[in-house]
Structures are given as C-alpha cells and as structure tokens.
Amino acid sequence: MPSALPDGEPVPDDGALPAHALAGAVDRPLGFYLHVPYCATRCGYCDFNTYTATELRGTGGVLASRDNYAETLIDEVRLARKVLGDDPRPVRTVFVGGGTPTLLAAGDLVRMLGAIRDEFGLADDAEVTTEANPESVDPAYLEVLREGGFNRISFGMQSARQHVLRVLDRTHTPGRPEACVAEARAAGFEHVNLDLIYGTPGESDDDWRASLDAAIGAGPDHVSAYALIVEEGTQLARRIRRGEVPMTDDDVHADRYLIAEEALSAAGFSWYEVSNWAASVAGRCLHNELYWRGADWWGAGPGAHSHVGGVRWWNVK
C-alpha cells in the first residue's frame, strides 16, 4: 500500500522518517488507526476509501481479500515497528475504522490488535475501539472482541426513522442499533458510542428528535452527531443534482445541532468536541482527542492517515 507525503514527494520504500519527527517522541502519546475498507453495500452519502467487493484488485490481480486482509494489515504494523525503531512508547489508543471492520471475522480484528500488542505493547489503560455495523455483529461476535482486548465500540445508527435510512442507503433496521448497545454491555464493553447523522433530505425536526430519544434511551455513554455533508461523486450528490431529493440546508443543520445539544445535555451528556457528547469524562473518545491535540498516530490500511512529530503522510488507493 504505497504512501505519499503532503508535498507530493514519495515516502522512502523503507518508510524512514526524518530524525526531527522522532525527537521527543517519548513525551507524546502514540495511537494506531487500522482501516478496514470493506462494506456490504456503499451508502449513498459515503466517499470514504471503501470497497464493496470481497476482493481488492490491481492490474496484477488480487491484492487483498477479506480472508487475508488481517495479515496484510499486520505487515503494516510490523513496518511501523521497524520505522519507529526502539521507540519505547506503549500504544495508548487503537481505533479500527472503515468501511465496516466487523465484516471481518472477530478473530481477525483480535489478531490485528495482537500484532500491536506484540510489537509495541499496550498501555495499561489503553482505549481500544472498533466501529461496527449493527447488522454485522451478534452477542457471540461481541464476546470474542471483548475477550480479545476491545473495550469500546461505536455503532453506526444514523437515524431511528426508516425513510431517513432509506435516503442514506443504510441497510440496518430501526431498533437494531439500540439492541446492539445492550448486547455490547452484556459482553462487558465499558464504553459504547452511537453515531447519528442529521440534516438528511426529508428528515423533519420531529424525526431528528425521535432519533436522539432512541439513542439516549439505548444507554450508550457517548453519542456522535454529524451534519450530513453531500460529497461530490456520491450517489446522494447525483440524486440531488437530478432533483430527486432536495439539497441539504445549512440553517436546518444549525437548528438540528441546537436540538441535539438540548436533548443530550438534558440527558446528562456533556459536549466536549463539535460533534461529540459523553456521559462522563471517562466516556470521551481518547483516540479522537489524540488527533485533536496533535499527538502521534500511525495509520495502517488503504487511505489511512498518519502523523508522527509533525510529519504527515497517508496511504493511497
């Protein structure tokens, strides 16, 4: 998976970083982002680096399939160890995102985490998160993740209203994300997040309030609420251009944000970042805070972004 620096210069084949990037590293937290690019279907609003096929193909044939993807990513973790040399820092946060990471076998996610543990070690209080599609997990799957070291999980809920999910091309059924929160709690997850999206064409204020009420009632300790962004090249953008659905409205977004703040605050959640609310300080997403504070993180997988000591680079499609 080739990489490029922001100025367009290629990263050396051995991944070497300039000496200044590693200077003082011991005093900065270190995190890992692991990108799993597979999705069962492509949501109409999504422009992420994801693939709906079971295999990634290049001009030479198969590059990676879901069956061997964990090994491919583990190779990148081993490269990180070589590049960072004798860096003594244990990893403070791990975030597995996608795509839909839970399309891989639970044991594969655990093995990927195990590679980080083997190569770097995990801090005693490490936060280990994976994103999950509500339809791609069950109690047994969640138990394997929890036993394997994951302690935080983020479910994509988006909306409690079927007609809103339909516009977004989301495939899960209303009510399933809320059930997943209970299943994750039963499996022993300390921290559970629900992702919501507001401002979808056709969504009303009452629809948004219903989604907030459903999310709060499910009992997560973290809620993320994002304004829908219409990205060029997506199915949603094409539908809006054809006049099938209306364009999103910034004023509506602003009103929905205020509705979210009112509802979440009343339920005991505190706003701590533009799109995130937590029921306690312990419930905040430490991995995102690591990004916002300019710490170090290594991104593995297609499209993943990395930052070490002020040097940024990313994998490319």
Side-chain angles (χ1 to χ4, degrees):
M1 297 177 184
S3 300
L5 289 167
D7 59 9
E9 295 182 7
V11 170
D13 289 339
D14 62 0
L17 290 171
H20 71 79
L22 301 178
V26 69
D27 298 320
R28 300 190 299 267
L30 174 64
F32 263 81
Y33 173 76
L34 308 180
H35 183 64
V36 178
Y38 301 105
C39 285
T41 60
R42 177 175 290 279
C43 297
Y45 61 91
C46 180
D47 72 337
F48 291 174
N49 189 339
T50 59
Y51 305 85
T52 57
T54 57
E55 296 176 334
L56 294 177
R57 293 181 178 273
T59 55
V62 175
L63 297 175
S65 72
R66 282 192 286 182
D67 292 336
N68 68 13
Y69 186 77
E71 290 303 322
T72 301
L73 192 139
I74 286 169
D75 284 343
E76 287 199 60
V77 173
R78 291 171 178 156
L79 172 63
R81 175 74 281 176
K82 292 177 181 178
V83 171
L84 296 176
D86 59 359
D87 188 327
R89 291 175 293 175
V91 172
R92 181 68 182 84
T93 67
V94 179
F95 195 103
V96 185
T100 304
T102 46
L103 285 180
L104 298 185
D108 283 348
L109 299 187
V110 171
R111 286 197 299 119
M112 289 155 49
L113 175 61
I116 294 174
R117 184 185 293 110
D118 292 344
E119 296 292 342
F120 291 88
L122 292 173
D124 291 340
D125 58 349
E127 175 192 89
V128 183
T129 305
T130 186
E131 295 180 333
N133 184 297
E135 303 290 353
S136 65
V137 299
D138 58 23
Y141 190 105
L142 294 170
E143 288 174 4
V144 172
L145 289 182
R146 184 66 192 94
E147 291 172 2
F150 286 81
N151 52 32
R152 187 176 184 274
I153 191 161
S154 177
F155 294 108
M157 178 177 177
Q158 322 318 346
S159 176
R161 297 298 203 197
Q162 184 67 60
H163 72 94
V164 176
L165 294 173
R166 193 176 300 117
V167 173
L168 295 173
D169 291 322
R170 294 292 295 185
T171 57
H172 69 261
T173 54
R176 179 59 194 151
E178 297 94 306
C180 284
V181 175
E183 292 172 4
R185 294 294 194 197
F189 278 87
E190 294 96 333
H191 302 297
V192 181
N193 173 64
L194 287 176
D195 273 348
L196 297 174
I197 291 178
Y198 58 86
T200 300
E203 178 192 64
S204 68
D205 285 353
D206 285 344
D207 290 332
W208 178 230
R209 289 190 178 95
S211 295
L212 289 163
D213 289 346
I216 291 166
D221 65 337
H222 192 283
V223 173
S224 297
Y226 301 103
L228 178 66
I229 298 174
V230 180
E231 303 285 0
E232 284 302 317
T234 62
Q235 177 64 19
L236 180 58
R238 289 189 288 272
R239 293 187 65 193
I240 290 173
R241 190 163 50 247
R242 292 194 297 264
E244 297 175 11
V245 294
M247 182 59 181
T248 57
D249 186 294
D250 289 344
D251 289 335
V252 169
H253 282 170
D255 290 342
R256 300 277 161 79
Y257 186 88
L258 294 176
I259 290 171
E261 167 62 14
E262 180 180 7
L264 290 164
S265 294
F269 288 79
S270 295
W271 173 90
Y272 72 100
E273 188 272 338
V274 65
S275 299
N276 292 278
W277 289 258
S280 66
V281 173
R284 294 179 179 181
C285 180
L286 297 179
H287 188 80
N288 282 347
E289 290 187 318
L290 181 146
Y291 290 155
W292 303 328
R293 293 171 179 170
D296 290 352
W297 67 89
W298 191 288
H305 177 223
S306 301
H307 172 268
V308 176
V311 175
R312 297 177 182 268
W313 72 99
W314 50 84
N315 293 339
V316 297
K317 289 186 178 181

